[in-house]
């Protein structure tokens, strides 16, 4: 029998939460425990009843084995050296300790960001500052700064775009 | 400093769509680069943030008129008073040392220091005024961001203590009064679609509060992947839709349930002018139909924004400051009933 797993813990899901993302309805599934974090008004029941979910969870456990559990435990113990906060603490309070936490916990945070915002990327204002007729020197300086930040952030996708834009501007000059 | 002189600005001049929209608020969450976020910061960090903002406010012409209020030095009842006036957040009310507020003279705009994030800057406007609120707070942000370096990444935008605010760091919210949609039983269905639009609905008191007196706060949940203007435009258009639905519901009630609604309004008036003990929950339930009665012309001297003031003035902090003492729940119930009885008995009505 096909069933969905909880987005947060992987147990069989009894509830569905739908959000519109860029015009598409995207479903998120939750077990009874994690569904309780939502208002009942926001949720729809799935075909799996809580009783059935419990039964399935038993089957699932033996199937998945120890590996997934170990991985999850490692994530929980991940710690930011700047502020000393462990990922486990973030799970409890939903608060990060400092801006470096975003880098240290990047991987496990992706799911939370996607669930909450439907994306994991900030939308930038256009690459080139929208100052009508800004002198190329001003634009170049702004782009150069952003390139440095992008490289520091290890955001190479953006860095490539910025580098191309800088080349283009220099070429035109 | 006289805390009692500080009341919020939105309740005074009526804003657009005041019959449905109580207020609009836009807040920005910002953190300073290389300083631990407040929840984890030690005294040194907290003081550093405070000092940096103090210096900035002193030196920037645009901020020089802002009044500095040391929240940590306020008495509990004063903090409660400020929170009830929507001047500080519940978070700032609860927290301890190095919590400071810088408030502009118009009381429309403020910088809260060491809240959940180092800086929480907001603008509060009466009625439906999201874009003016965004523009006003963006101007403050531009001045602050010029001197202080924000924690920012190209990928995630403004880095906030809670990832639910990351990106723009902006939350825009609108407080609505929707008795028509409640009475015509359309509200449940509306509440259901709200999360699917990247929005959230909360009660009068915000986070985790129940829906009281047909007041609903609607705000954006999504802060990442969209620009602040896109978020504001989407929220604005959703709210405009709600305002027209509420107007249609009120018109249909007037036509089809005229006497039933009249009865609810005048019964509320009857209780407000005679009750001896009143809980704040009951008061909310009674003031809701009164607000509807304003539109029907039953209470000519009463305006929507004056009623908004009554709601603020009947809250525990306000009652205790007015009476000059700490009060038990029963004493507050008695004081609240007395206050509402006095304002409503003096009111000219068409009864
Ligand atoms: Zn779960
Ligand atoms: Zn950290």
């Amino acid at each position: 029998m096909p069933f969905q797993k909880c987005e947060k813990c992987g147990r069989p899901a009894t509830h569905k939460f739908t959000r519109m993302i860029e015009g598409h309805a995207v479903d998120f599934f939750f077990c009874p425990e994690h569904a309780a974090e939502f208002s009942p008004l926001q949720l729809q029941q799935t075909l799996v009843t809580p009783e059935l979910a419990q039964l399935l969870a038993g089957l699932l456990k033996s199937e998945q084995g120890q590996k997934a559990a170990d991985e999850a435990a490692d994530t929980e113990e991940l710690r930011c050296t700047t502020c000393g906060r462990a990922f486990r603490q973030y799970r409890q309070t939903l608060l990060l300790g400092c801006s470096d936490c975003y880098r240290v916990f990047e991987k496990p945070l992706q799911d939370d960001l996607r669930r909450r915002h439907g994306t994991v990327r900030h939308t930038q204002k256009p690459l080139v500052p929208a100052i009508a007729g800004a002198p190329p020197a001003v634009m170049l300086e702004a782009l150069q700064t952003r390139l440095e930040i992008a490289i520091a952030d290890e955001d190479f996708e953006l860095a490539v775009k910025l580098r191309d834009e800088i080349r283009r501007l220099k070429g035109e000059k | 400093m006289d805390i009692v002189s500080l009341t919020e600005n939105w309740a005074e001049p009526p804003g657009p769509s005041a019959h449905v929209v109580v207020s609009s608020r836009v807040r920005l969450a910002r953190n300073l680069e290389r300083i631990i976020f407040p929840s984890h910061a030690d005294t040194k960090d907290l003081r550093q943030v405070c000092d940096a903002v103090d210096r900035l406010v002193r030196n920037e012409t645009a901020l020089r008129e802002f009044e500095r209020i040391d929240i940590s030095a306020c008495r509990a009842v004063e903090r409660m008073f400020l929170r009830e006036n929507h001047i500080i957040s519940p978070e700032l009310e609860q927290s301890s040392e190095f919590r400071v507020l810088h408030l502009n003279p118009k009381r429309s705009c403020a910088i809260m220091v060491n809240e959940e994030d180092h800086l929480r800057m907001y603008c509060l406007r009466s009625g439906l005024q999201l874009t003016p609120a965004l523009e006003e707070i963006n101007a403050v942000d531009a001045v602050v961001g010029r001197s202080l370096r924000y924690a920012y990444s190209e990928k995630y935008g403004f880095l906030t203590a809670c990832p639910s605010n990351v990106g723009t760091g902006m939350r825009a919210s609108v407080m609505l009064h929707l008795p028509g949609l409640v009475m015509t039983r359309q509200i449940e269905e509306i509440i259901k679609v709200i999360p699917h639009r990247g929005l959230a609905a909360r009660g009068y008191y915000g986070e985790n509060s129940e829906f009281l007196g047909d007041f609903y706060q609607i705000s954006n949940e999504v802060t990442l992947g969209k620009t602040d203007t896109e978020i504001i435009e989407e929220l604005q258009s959703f709210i405009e839709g709600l305002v027209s639905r509420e107007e249609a519901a009120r018109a249909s009630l007037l036509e089809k349930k005229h006497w039933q609604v009249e009865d609810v309004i005048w019964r509320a008036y009857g209780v407000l002018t005679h009750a001896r003990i009143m809980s704040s929950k009951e008061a909310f339930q009674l003031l809701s139909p009164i607000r509807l009665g304003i539109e029907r012309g039953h209470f000519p001297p009463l305006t929507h924004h004056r009623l908004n003031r009554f709601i603020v003035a009947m809250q525990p902090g306000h009652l205790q400051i007015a009476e000059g003492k700490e009060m038990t729940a029963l004493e507050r119930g008695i004081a609240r009933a007395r206050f509402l009885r006095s304002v409503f008995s003096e009111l000219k009505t068409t009864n």
Side-chain angles (χ1 to χ4, degrees), chain A residues 18 85 96 102 106 122-124, chain B residues 40 154 156 160-161 196 225:
Chain A
T18 311
R85 177 151 289 212
L96 297 167
Y102 277 93
E106 175 146 36
H122 181 48
T123 292
Q124 296 296 337
Chain B
H40 240 55
E154 284 289 339
Y156 297 122
T160 51
H196 304 165

Side-chain angles (χ1 to χ4, degrees), chain A:
Chain A
M1 173 188 177
F3 63 90
Q4 301 288 339
K5 292 180 191 170
C6 174
E7 307 277 345
K8 291 203 173 168
C9 65
R11 281 182 288 170
T14 52
H15 289 84
K16 182 171 86 167
F17 171 76
T18 311
R19 168 164 278 172
M20 295 304 290
I21 295 171
E22 284 154 13
H24 301 283
V26 179
D27 294 336
F28 298 100
F29 293 89
F30 298 101
C31 68
E33 184 192 325
H34 288 111
E37 294 167 9
F38 291 81
S39 148
L41 291 171
Q42 304 178 358
L43 294 165
Q44 274 172 281
Q45 292 257 330
T46 63
L47 289 172
V48 179
T49 63
E51 295 74 31
L52 187 53
Q54 216 170 13
L55 192 73
L56 287 167
L59 296 173
L60 203 64
K61 220 177 192 169
S62 48
E63 188 182 302
Q64 284 175 328
Q66 206 52 41
K67 200 175 154 237
D70 288 350
E71 243 170 55
D74 287 350
T75 301
E76 296 297 289
E77 288 315 311
L78 211 56
R79 196 173 281 276
C80 169
T81 50
T82 312
C83 66
R85 177 151 289 212
F87 193 71
R88 174 173 37 80
Q89 286 166 292
Y90 161 72
R91 275 270 175 260
Q92 286 154 7
T93 59
L94 297 181
L95 291 176
L96 297 167
C98 72
S99 26
D100 289 342
C101 288
Y102 277 93
R103 219 180 33 245
V104 180
F105 304 141
E106 175 146 36
K107 220 172 134 219
L109 272 178
Q110 300 292 302
D111 287 348
D112 283 26
L113 290 173
R114 203 180 301 276
R115 196 172 297 120
R116 168 81 184 202
H117 303 288
T119 178
V120 293
R121 269 209 84 97
H122 181 48
T123 292
Q124 296 296 337
K125 307 258 151 71
L127 286 179
V128 178
I131 317 160
V138 173
M139 291 196 204
L140 267 176
E141 201 193 308
L143 287 170
Q144 201 63 49
T145 312
R146 294 195 46 189
L147 177 62
E148 281 161 25
I149 299 175
I151 292 170
D153 282 352
E154 299 183 11
D155 188 350
F156 299 112
E157 194 189 326
L158 179 73
V160 168
K161 275 194 216 152
L162 288 164
R163 191 203 53 202
D164 292 349
E165 190 61 32
I166 290 168
R167 281 192 185 151
R168 199 180 61 80
L169 268 176
K170 280 186 174 161
E172 275 178 11
K173 208 163 52 163

Side-chain angles (χ1 to χ4, degrees), chain B residues 111-226:
Chain B
I111 306 171
M112 294 188 278
V113 183
N114 289 328
E115 211 242 25
E116 184 180 291
D117 296 293
H118 293 142
L119 305 179
R120 286 284 180 100
M121 305 182 275
Y122 68 78
C123 177
L124 182 62
R125 292 285 186 108
S126 172
L128 184 53
Q129 297 199 64
L130 284 169
T131 303
L134 176 67
E135 283 166 359
E136 186 172 353
I137 201 58
N138 273 350
V140 173
D141 183 41
V143 172
V144 177
R146 206 165 52 208
S147 308
L148 303 180
R149 283 193 71 116
Y150 289 148
Y152 183 86
S153 96
E154 284 289 339
K155 192 165 183 186
Y156 297 122
F158 294 101
L159 302 176
T160 51
C162 181
S164 62
N165 294 314
V166 78
T168 59
M170 183 194 73
R171 178 174 283 175
S173 58
V174 178
M175 176 91 78
L176 300 128
H177 182 233
L178 304 172
L181 293 173
V182 173
M183 286 187 207
T184 55
R185 300 187 188 285
Q186 298 177 64
I187 197 71
E188 286 86 3
E189 170 218 336
I190 291 168
I191 300 286
K192 257 185 215 168
V193 307
I194 283 175
H196 304 165
R197 306 281 297 258
L199 306 174
R202 297 182 173 82
Y204 185 89
Y205 293 110
E207 211 88 42
N208 305 323
S209 69
E210 59 179 322
F211 298 120
L212 281 174
D214 311 323
F215 287 98
Y216 293 82
Q217 259 187 79
I218 298 184
S219 58
N220 64 299
E221 285 274 276
V222 171
T223 55
L224 190 65
K226 290 180 187 172

Side-chain angles (χ1 to χ4, degrees), chain B residues 10 14 22 25 27 81 104 118 120 128 150 156 192 211 220 227 254 258 261-262 268 294 297 307 329 345:
Chain B
W10 59 261
V22 177
R25 178 191 174 92
R27 76 107 172 96
F81 180 92
N104 77 340
H118 293 142
R120 286 284 180 100
L128 184 53
Y150 289 148
Y156 297 122
K192 257 185 215 168
F211 298 120
N220 64 299
T227 65
L254 190 59
H258 177 76
V261 176
E262 288 295 288
I294 293 174
L307 191 90
S345 304

